[in-house]
Each structure stands twice: as C-alpha cells, then as structure tokens.
C-alpha cells in the first residue's frame, strides 16, 4: 500500500486526505515551514451527512521529499511551481498528480521534473474550510486522472484507491478534454459570481440571462478552437446543471476575492483570453480586468501560452 502525500492543506486537500484515511489509506500532509515546531493536530472533517470525524495524518516537510512515493498537489494554480521547487530529493519514479483549477502550469512542472510521471486530475468534489484544521465536504462528484507525459502511462492503477475513497475515480487518456470542460464552466461561473458578490445559483436570475448567454458563447468558441467538440446548447445545459447543483455554494474565486486573497483569474479567464487569438471575447476581457482591479493588481500583459 503506497502512502499518499498531499501538498496543499487547504479545503480540498484536507477533504481528500480525510476521505483517503477513512478507507485505510496511509496519508501524509506535506506542510510548509510555518507549521514546523507546531503540534500537528488531527483534521476535523465534517462529512456530507454533517458528522464530525477526526482524521489522523502524518506530517512531513520538504527535506523528507526522498520518502515520497505518490505526490498529490492540491494547491492554487499559482502556488504549484513554487511549492514544488523545494522538493530537491523527490525521486524520479514518484508520480506527481496536479489537481487545481485552471490551466497553464503543467509545462512548468515538466521543466522542473522532466523524468517524473506527471498526471493531471479533475475533480468536482466540493470542500470548504471552516477553521484551522476544520473542513467540510460540501459535495460529491467525479474525479478523473490522466497522463500528461509518457512516463505517467503506467500509473492508471492509482484510480483504484481513489475510487474507493471518493466514490468515483477513472483514468482518461484524453484528460486535456476533461480539463477544458471544467475550465469552461469555471470561466463562466467564477468571475461572474466574484464580480457580483453572489452565490452560484443567483446566476440563473433573469438579470444575468444576457451576460450568461454572451459569456458562454465566448468561452465555447475558444474551447472549439482548442479542439473541443461539444455543441453550444450542450455546453449551456451542462453549465446550468452545474449552477443548479452548486446553487448554494460560493465559487472559489468569489471566496478568494472576498477574503483578500490572490485569485486564479490568470489560469481560468486568462487562459481563455490567451487562446482566443483573433476571436472576440469582450466579456471575458472585461471580467478579467475587473477581477484584477478589485484585487488591487494591474492586469497582466498576456503571453501566447497562458
């Protein structure tokens, strides 16, 4: 049985740790320097049924990277590269699984660890942090893993323990398509809910009908350009279903903006804008500028690769 090392002790990372431990999987949390010297408490996981469960995990730090056999990275997209840079002793055989919102990070990770199996993950599980080491599992969903490089091809077996812990996990050889599908949903819901300070479900109010129509068309056109084959009506039906299923939730970008944290706008809306090229995406650009303005940062000059 291989120990899962989770990098990123945020809401989703802690929920993943809790669900894996409940199935008897060994789990360690790779902690930052600020946690060194502190007592490592048990995780208090609030399950979907509302029950509290104490979850025990093993703490570890960067200098123990040589002991890591499977690394699940569950950080914000902009934190991934910096977090991985300090793991100098990470074995070349250790698979690195990237689970984050947005796109545009994988190439940088490949440059850092060119020989490691690199795996992309997409998950629709919901999680919310309610306090220090107190997390709530807010929604159950699908989880998909797939290879980013050739070295990852032999690691499809990782989905078995994940499936037992999460309720669903599958391997896909076309993981980029699934990443694009999730990004398209996030590129509509996240910036709109953040800018208007609303829950996801409020996007279905009549006042948002026009902007939803235009924004979904912009995002869909870019996804087609990137090789997507989903019809616009199908995308809109999928979008509405996600909004309905997460109606009472606040999006991650809403929460980041509300709490003064950096958002993942560069890796979500920025990725769409970056790949639009000649396609007009005025609503995407307006939302991008507004999120950056509210974050107190000037909009970044876009490059060609997101």
């Amino acid at each position: 049985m291989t120990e899962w090392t989770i990098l990123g002790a945020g809401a989703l990372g802690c929920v993943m740790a809790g669900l894996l431990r409940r199935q008897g999987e060994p789990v360690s949390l790779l902690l930052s320097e600020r946690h060194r010297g502190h007592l490592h408490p048990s995780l208090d996981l609030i399950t979907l049924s509302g029950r509290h469960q104490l979850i025990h995990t093993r703490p570890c730090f960067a200098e123990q990277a040589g002991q890591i056999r499977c690394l699940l990275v569950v950080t914000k997209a902009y934190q991934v590269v910096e977090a991985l840079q300090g793991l100098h002793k990470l074995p070349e055989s250790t698979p690195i699984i990237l689970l984050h919102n947005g796109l545009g990070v994988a190439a940088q990770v490949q440059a850092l660890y060119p020989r490691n199996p690199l795996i992309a993950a997409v998950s629709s599980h919901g999680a919310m942090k309610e306090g220090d080491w107190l997390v709530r599992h807010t929604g159950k969903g699908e989880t998909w893993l797939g290879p980013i490089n050739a070295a990852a091809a032999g690691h499809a077996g990782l989905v078995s323990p994940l499936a037992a812990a999460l309720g669903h996990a599958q391997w896909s050889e076309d993981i980029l398509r699934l990443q694009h599908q999730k990004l398209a949903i996030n590129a509509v819901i996240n910036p709109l809910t953040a800018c208007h300070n609303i829950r996801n479900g409020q996007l279905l109010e009549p006042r948002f009908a026009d902007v939803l129509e235009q924004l979904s068309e912009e995002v869909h056109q870019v996804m087609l350009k990137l090789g997507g084959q989903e019809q616009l009506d199908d995308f809109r039906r999928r979008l509405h279903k996600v909004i309905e299923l997460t109606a009472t939730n606040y999006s991650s970008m809403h929460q980041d903006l509300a709490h003064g944290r950096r958002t993942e706008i560069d890796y979500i809306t920025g990725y769409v804008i970056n790949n639009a090229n000649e396609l007009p995406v005025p609503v995407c650009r307006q939302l991008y500028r507004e999120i950056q303005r509210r974050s107190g940062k000037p909009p970044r000059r876009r490059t060609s690769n997101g």
Side-chain angles (χ1 to χ4, degrees):
M1 186 178 289
T2 302
E3 181 178 61
W4 294 81
T5 299
I6 296 180
L7 173 55
L12 186 58
C14 286
V15 165
M16 291 284 183
L19 296 177
L20 285 164
R21 283 297 298 131
R22 288 175 65 193
Q23 286 297 314
E25 295 289 322
V27 176
S28 62
L29 284 181
L30 185 55
L31 301 174
S32 61
E33 284 299 308
R34 66 187 178 90
H35 291 106
R36 191 184 294 275
H38 293 194
L39 174 67
H40 179 60
S42 300
L43 284 173
D44 189 351
L45 173 67
I46 306 173
T47 67
L48 289 173
S49 64
R51 293 180 56 200
H52 285 253
Q53 287 193 331
L54 288 179
I55 304 294
H56 303 282
T57 61
R58 185 177 70 86
C60 65
F61 295 89
E63 68 269 16
Q64 298 167 280
Q67 303 171 19
I68 297 175
R69 295 296 174 263
C70 180
L71 182 62
L72 177 57
V73 184
V74 196
T75 67
K76 296 290 188 181
Y78 56 79
Q79 296 172 324
V80 171
V81 172
E82 184 178 355
L84 288 173
Q85 282 174 334
L87 305 183
H88 305 296
K89 298 179 180 179
L90 188 71
E92 292 180 351
S93 60
T94 298
I96 302 172
I97 306 171
L98 301 178
L99 175 56
H100 58 76
N101 285 329
L103 286 167
V105 175
Q108 298 173 68
V109 177
Q110 274 193 287
L112 276 176
Y113 297 98
R115 297 183 180 178
N116 286 73
L118 192 58
I119 298 167
V122 175
S123 183
S124 54
H125 279 263
M128 183 169 63
K129 197 166 187 176
E130 297 197 349
D132 290 338
W133 306 108
L134 172 63
V135 294
R136 181 184 292 275
H137 188 195
T138 59
K140 192 173 182 179
E142 295 184 351
T143 299
W144 292 86
L145 271 63
I148 294 175
N149 60 5
H155 292 273
L158 290 171
V159 301
S160 295
L162 282 175
L166 306 179
H168 172 279
Q170 285 184 245
W171 185 265
S172 172
E173 293 294 332
D174 191 11
I175 192 66
L176 183 60
R177 176 181 62 85
L178 297 173
Q179 288 180 297
H180 280 163
Q181 286 183 354
K182 182 174 183 184
L183 182 137
I185 296 291
N186 285 343
V188 176
I189 294 176
N190 282 23
L192 277 179
T193 55
C195 282
H196 292 278
N197 191 25
I198 57 173
R199 297 179 188 267
N200 292 358
Q202 292 176 263
L203 288 175
L204 297 181
E205 295 174 2
R207 59 184 172 134
F208 292 109
D210 289 344
V211 70
L212 267 185
E213 181 177 1
Q214 185 173 349
L215 182 56
S216 60
E217 183 171 357
E218 289 182 11
V219 171
H220 176 260
Q221 289 299 314
V222 175
M223 293 302 110
L224 286 181
K225 184 175 178 294
L226 290 171
Q229 298 181 347
E230 188 176 30
Q231 297 297 311
L232 178 57
D233 287 345
D234 292 334
F235 170 54
R236 283 175 172 157
R237 277 192 288 270
R238 186 164 61 88
L239 172 64
H240 278 240
K241 183 178 179 180
V242 172
I243 293 173
E244 289 170 354
L245 289 173
T246 63
T248 60
N249 294 359
Y250 286 110
S251 72
S252 59
M253 191 174 293
H254 173 280
Q255 289 294 279
D256 287 339
L257 196 64
H259 291 92
R261 299 188 294 255
R262 182 178 173 182
T263 73
E264 294 174 292
I265 191 72
D266 285 315
Y267 301 90
I268 299 175
T269 305
Y271 184 86
V272 174
I273 295 170
N274 230 30
N275 286 281
N277 294 333
E278 75 283 354
L279 293 174
V281 286
V283 179
C284 284
R285 293 184 186 279
Q286 182 181 1
L287 288 169
Y288 179 83
R289 289 192 296 267
E290 182 62 15
I291 293 292
Q292 291 286 42
R293 184 188 70 79
R294 295 193 189 191
S295 301
K297 299 174 182 178
R300 291 173 54 186
R301 184 176 180 180
R302 306 308 303 162
T303 59
S304 59
N305 293 321

